[in-house]
Amino acid sequence: MESNVRVRFAPSPTGPLHIGGVRTALYNYLFAKKNKGTFILRIEDTDQTRYVANAEQYITDALNWCAIPFDEGPNLKGNFGPYRQSERKELYKKYADILLQKGWAYYAFDTADALDAERKKHESEGKTFIYNWHNREKERLVNSLVLSDDDVQNRINSGDKFVIRFKSPQDETLILEDEIRGTIKIDTNTLDDKILFKSDGMPTYHLANIVDDHLMQISHVIRGEEWLPSLPLHTLLYKAFEWETPKFAHLPLILKPVGKGKLSKRDGDKLGFPVFPLEYTNEKTNDVSRGYKEDGYFADAFINMLAFLGWNPGTEQELFSLEDLIQEFDLKRVSKSGAKFSPDKAKWFQQQYMQQKSDEELTDLYLPILKEKGITKEKDFVLKVVSSIKERAVFVADFWELSSFFFATPTAYDAKASKKNWKETTPDLMRELIDVIESIEDFSSTNTEKIIKEWITGKEIGFGKVMQPLRLSLVGKLAGPHLFDIIAMIGKKETMQRIQNAIKNL
Ligand code: GLU
């Protein structure tokens, strides 16, 4: 049965979604699913000056890649739509009017120049100008608190530009509740009379956000810490409308790996990691920003990493599937303080998930890469390759580097390793070895190992004298999985051929 828990992720489509935004979406999703509630995507596109056309698509693509789908949202059925604020435009003026009628809001006709002059005047007297009870009824400001009703009406009728401001109360102490931060007290005298409705006929974020949260029956507002300063106004707006206030939870910031402050795109550029889930091309500048997906991260590893940026389960366990996260997630375990982003930890999660994936799944990811290189080996062979190299891989893109020798004869040999291990006596030894190999009937890994090692022991020489040159011949460098597994995989003929090549080239 569905519960009354309804949460929303409410991004503004102003560019690619930062991982902080994805984390907000994730926590909303986890909270909704844990409580058998509904997760809503609402596009807050009332600020037309910052609107970016491909940003909404980016947001939905990112949520889809992360596998945290919304239950209601643009282009989906839902009883509370439309889910784009620009499509709800007509609605907001009515609510601004309600506040005007109730005396919680007023018209203001001040021009930008006049306000600027007021600011400068205050500055020259060593004061800060705030548009609120201090001065809203002083004659220099032009608003419906000082003008007569007729004057106000005439100005509106004759097309004068106006905004609608919220009338913040004087001398009150607001008691705000936050699910993560507890009780916060605010003196209303410090609040300015924020604009609710702009002169372009659009609501500001504050008005649209509160109206929509109310109409969409949002039970919990879970959002980034940067919105905490708006909480007093939002709480007052609920009071003014006489609506039930949802619960609020402000999530901690994601911080730079080094130094202070919020993680930015610049940190990623400087230290070489993405801060966006998907690659993003800026349509104006053609600037391309890296994405976790394109960098080769698995979505589940990325999500697990993100979940831990600000939350922990209270145990040592770090690896959680999305299902586990839903079970364990609790706002009470979200920290108040910022979470330092660690690119190394991100890689660590990726590596852990690489090890958890089945050989079958990884093989399906590797086959197209091989195909592109013109290699068409049967799946069983590739499956064995993957199983032998995966513990050394972090990304699927590492596979080729770790396994090319299974598919192709080395064309170059590591110079340093060759110098150290390919001695004057080596070619003769290798020729003998070719004869030994030729005589082996059962070419399994264990049998070739047994026979070759017996031969070395019989010759009373160190294993390294044979094994290192043999590895160089087969792999081209002193790396790779168990040598006899490689031998068994590439087969007798290819093994002998590669030793011949090394004798010729080294
Ligand atoms: N549109 C705001 C943003 O871009 C939403 C803030 C909120 O969740 O209330 O983050």
Side-chain angles (χ1 to χ4, degrees):
M1 206 187 74
E2 275 205 357
S3 71
N4 293 329
V5 167
R6 289 177 56 82
V7 294
R8 86 303 193 269
F9 174 50
S12 299
T14 54
L17 191 58
H18 183 274
I19 56 171
V22 187
R23 201 250 343 235
T24 300
L26 173 65
Y27 285 11
N28 272 285
Y29 173 85
L30 296 175
F31 185 79
K33 298 300 137 187
K34 163 126 195 189
N35 294 292
K36 311 242 172 314
T38 307
F39 174 50
I40 298 152
L41 174 68
R42 184 173 73 223
I43 299 295
E44 300 211 325
D45 54 353
T46 54
D47 188 350
Q48 290 164 335
T49 57
R50 297 179 63 216
Y51 181 76
V52 172
N54 60 1
E56 182 186 322
Q57 188 60 44
Y58 182 94
I59 291 163
T60 48
D61 287 349
L63 298 184
N64 286 338
W65 178 63
C66 293
I68 49 173
F70 43 92
D71 306 304
E72 292 174 26
N75 313 326
L76 269 189
K77 281 210 187 83
N79 297 328
F80 299 85
Y83 294 91
R84 267 180 216 105
Q85 287 186 329
S86 57
E87 292 167 17
R88 304 168 67 78
K89 203 170 138 190
E90 312 312 323
L91 194 108
Y92 304 111
K93 180 65 173 49
K94 183 177 113 197
Y95 288 94
D97 287 343
I98 294 177
L99 294 178
L100 286 166
Q101 272 155 28
K102 284 173 166 246
W104 276 99
Y106 58 93
Y107 291 104
F109 299 92
D110 316 275
T111 62
D113 286 347
L115 290 177
D116 211 35
E118 202 59 33
R119 233 168 266 130
K120 292 216 174 90
K121 186 172 176 306
H122 274 71
E123 263 166 35
S124 69
E125 293 163 8
K127 294 189 226 151
T128 318
F129 170 68
I130 341 184
Y131 205 130
N132 69 1
W133 61 275
H134 276 107
N135 45 33
R136 65 189 165 211
E137 289 175 56
K138 300 242 169 77
E139 62 289 348
R140 277 201 309 278
L141 298 179
V142 191
N143 58 50
S144 56
L145 300 175
V146 286
L147 302 174
S148 71
D149 287 355
D150 283 349
D151 195 354
V152 169
Q153 231 22 77
N154 286 338
R155 283 170 186 260
I156 293 173
N157 293 346
S158 59
D160 276 13
K161 281 211 175 309
F162 67 85
V163 298
I164 299 173
R165 285 182 183 270
F166 185 69
K167 193 175 168 198
S168 288
Q170 187 179 344
D171 296 334
E172 275 183 31
T173 303
L174 284 181
I175 314 278
L176 311 172
E177 295 297 336
D178 184 272
E179 298 293 293
I180 296 165
R181 280 144 224 278
T183 305
I184 305 163
K185 281 191 187 159
I186 293 282
D187 172 3
T188 57
N189 291 350
T190 61
L191 304 176
D192 60 341
D193 289 354
K194 282 265 182 303
I195 296 177
L196 299 177
F197 203 82
K198 295 179 286 184
S199 54
D200 64 0
M202 285 291 251
T204 58
Y205 152 72
H206 300 293
L207 179 67
N209 186 271
I210 264 50
V211 167
D212 286 348
D213 280 350
H214 172 71
L215 296 178
M216 294 181 181
Q217 295 178 11
I218 298 303
S219 62
H220 294 74
V221 171
I222 304 170
R223 62 185 175 193
E225 184 182 312
E226 58 273 34
W227 302 102
L228 192 58
S230 302
L231 184 58
L233 171 63
H234 292 185
T235 307
L236 284 167
L237 279 168
Y238 280 102
K239 189 173 162 198
F241 282 119
E242 295 171 72
W243 289 340
E244 197 189 326
T245 315
K247 295 217 180 324
F248 288 96
H250 289 86
L251 307 174
L253 293 177
I254 298 183
L255 304 173
K256 296 177 186 301
V258 281
K260 284 196 184 126
K262 205 169 145 177
L263 177 72
S264 70
K265 172 165 149 40
R266 204 168 322 137
D267 299 317
D269 290 345
K270 212 164 60 191
L271 300 169
F273 61 86
V275 298
F276 301 119
L278 312 177
E279 195 173 272
Y280 180 78
T281 307
N282 184 315
E283 282 189 342
K284 283 199 193 109
T285 60
N286 279 332
D287 198 28
V288 180
S289 300
R290 283 162 63 177
Y292 277 85
K293 180 182 176 207
E294 292 74 10
D295 266 25
Y297 282 81
F298 295 130
D300 42 10
F302 173 69
I303 282 296
N304 196 157
M305 180 275 292
L306 267 192
F308 271 75
L309 284 174
W311 169 87
N312 72 78
T315 63
E316 295 292 301
Q317 187 184 341
E318 288 186 283
L319 299 178
F320 284 83
S321 67
L322 194 57
E323 269 315 303
D324 297 339
L325 286 172
I326 293 170
Q327 290 309 316
E328 290 302 315
F329 187 75
D330 189 345
L331 283 176
K332 290 203 176 61
R333 298 213 61 90
V334 173
S335 67
K336 289 193 202 44
S337 48
K340 230 183 216 324
F341 179 79
S342 160
D344 291 340
K345 194 74 193 184
K347 268 213 178 118
W348 180 85
F349 274 108
Q350 167 64 19
Q351 192 168 21
Q352 299 301 312
Y353 273 76
M354 172 64 84
Q355 305 321 315
Q356 281 186 2
K357 300 261 175 223
S358 71
D359 295 347
E360 178 84 27
E361 197 177 334
L362 295 173
T363 300
D364 286 341
L365 296 173
Y366 195 19
L367 282 169
I369 299 177
L370 290 172
K371 200 168 164 208
E372 241 174 60
K373 294 186 186 294
I375 294 164
T376 46
K377 271 279 188 188
E378 59 285 14
K379 188 166 174 184
D380 269 0
F381 183 87
V382 181
L383 208 79
K384 280 193 203 136
V385 169
V386 164
S387 138
S388 74
I389 57 156
K390 89 169 178 197
E391 67 180 47
R392 277 180 291 274
V394 179
F395 299 106
V396 173
D398 299 337
F399 284 6
W400 177 248
E401 169 76 22
L402 291 169
S403 71
S404 59
F405 49 87
F406 280 111
F407 306 98
T409 310
T411 49
Y413 303 90
D414 182 291
K416 226 164 126 195
S418 309
K419 194 158 177 251
K420 194 157 166 238
N421 296 287
W422 196 272
K423 299 276 157 58
E424 230 169 279
T425 52
T426 306
D428 281 343
L429 259 180
M430 291 295 111
R431 275 185 210 105
E432 264 188 64
L433 179 60
I434 291 178
D435 292 340
V436 176
I437 289 173
E438 192 167 19
S439 69
I440 301 175
E441 296 270 314
D442 164 12
F443 217 68
S444 66
S445 173
T446 40
N447 193 52
T448 48
E449 177 164 9
K450 188 171 143 270
I451 292 180
I452 292 175
K453 284 192 170 165
E454 272 171 13
W455 170 72
I456 301 173
T457 314
K459 289 192 74 68
E460 296 183 351
I461 51 171
F463 275 101
K465 283 219 156 56
V466 174
M467 299 299 282
Q468 303 291 56
L470 178 57
R471 187 172 278 281
L472 265 175
S473 311
L474 302 183
V475 180
K477 56 191 173 195
L478 298 181
H482 188 54
L483 196 55
F484 296 98
D485 287 349
I486 303 176
I487 286 180
M489 293 271 290
I490 62 177
K492 191 193 272 191
K493 205 167 139 229
E494 178 69 12
T495 304
M496 287 163 57
Q497 183 59 53
R498 288 192 191 185
I499 303 173
Q500 293 282 19
N501 291 348
I503 296 172
K504 206 158 69 200
N505 297 322
L506 276 167

